[in-house]
Amino acid sequence: MKRSKKAALVLMVPVATLLLAGCGEESEQAMVFSDPSECSAAGLNDTTQCNADYAAAQALHPQVAPKYLNKEECEIDFGAGQCETAPQQTAQGGSVFMPMMMGFLAGQMMNRGGSNLQQPAAAGAGSKVPTQPLYKSRDDRGTFRTATNTPVAKGIGPITLKPSQVKPQVGQVVRRGGFGQQAAARNSFGG
């Protein structure tokens, strides 16, 4: 009897630790769309706000997208014809390439109620999930991912996530196998 009580206590400690670790941050609702017309069709916001959210994601895209030193490496990760020249250049003046934006995460969508009063990526009232561009790797075409390769959705529509999971970061130069290989590895292990 004593042995089973000890085992139960030992098993409860990791579970309690995991539960407490997730207590600090609330999950938030957001929406995933491929383009502003899908956003408008969802009926949660008017066309003007959907266009503003898409424009905010487009403006962030060159800053956060993963960067490649050659187009071939980018296309290996994202697919033929799915990469574009980034506005940044190498220190030697050479081109840098990034994947094309395949969708956007609208973090404020669920909390606006049709109002145009909030800014697209405001962290004040409403959702703390920032509006941002989304990408699809060649190895996992159905999954929308953030620029940091965090999977957020298998398709368009509402999602629930923690804001810290999708915090935009400045895009880094990625070596071949960076983005796509990670997606393939997650798929091969069921994640």
Side-chain angles (χ1 to χ4, degrees):
M1 196 71 151
K2 289 181 183 180
R3 188 175 197 176
S4 63
K5 286 183 182 179
K6 285 182 184 178
L9 285 174
V10 169
L11 292 174
M12 287 173 53
V13 171
V15 171
T17 304
L18 287 174
L19 290 174
L20 289 174
C23 288
E25 184 178 28
E26 296 277 330
S27 290
E28 300 276 343
Q29 286 196 320
M31 296 290 287
V32 172
F33 299 108
S34 296
D35 58 50
S37 64
E38 288 175 350
C39 172
S40 297
L44 296 171
N45 253 326
D46 61 27
T47 302
T48 303
Q49 189 60 54
C50 289
N51 287 334
D53 285 345
Y54 185 74
Q58 279 186 314
L60 193 58
H61 168 57
Q63 297 170 36
V64 301
K67 309 296 186 298
Y68 293 80
L69 296 178
N70 66 59
K71 191 172 184 175
E72 293 75 29
E73 285 187 4
C74 183
E75 288 184 341
I76 288 171
D77 281 352
F78 292 94
Q82 300 302 311
C83 294
E84 59 190 349
T85 304
Q88 299 88 349
Q89 292 187 329
T90 65
Q92 295 77 27
S95 294
V96 177
F97 300 90
M98 62 186 186
M100 292 180 178
M101 187 172 115
M102 293 296 175
F104 68 107
L105 178 65
Q108 298 291 319
M109 193 65 58
M110 302 299 285
N111 297 314
R112 283 193 190 120
S115 168
N116 289 330
L117 299 176
Q118 294 181 3
Q119 295 298 317
S127 177
K128 293 175 182 74
V129 176
T131 296
Q132 61 191 283
L134 295 175
Y135 308 91
K136 291 183 179 181
S137 73
R138 182 190 65 140
D139 298 332
D140 189 15
R141 297 294 296 163
T143 302
F144 285 100
R145 297 175 175 276
T146 66
T148 58
N149 201 15
T150 302
V152 293
K154 286 280 189 189
I156 65 166
I159 60 169
T160 303
L161 46 74
K162 295 186 185 230
S164 64
Q165 292 175 304
V166 294
K167 185 177 178 185
Q169 299 173 11
V170 174
Q172 302 295 317
V173 173
V174 178
R175 286 279 200 264
R176 165 60 197 128
F179 206 91
Q181 287 294 93
Q182 291 174 9
R186 284 191 184 114
N187 279 346
S188 66
F189 293 105

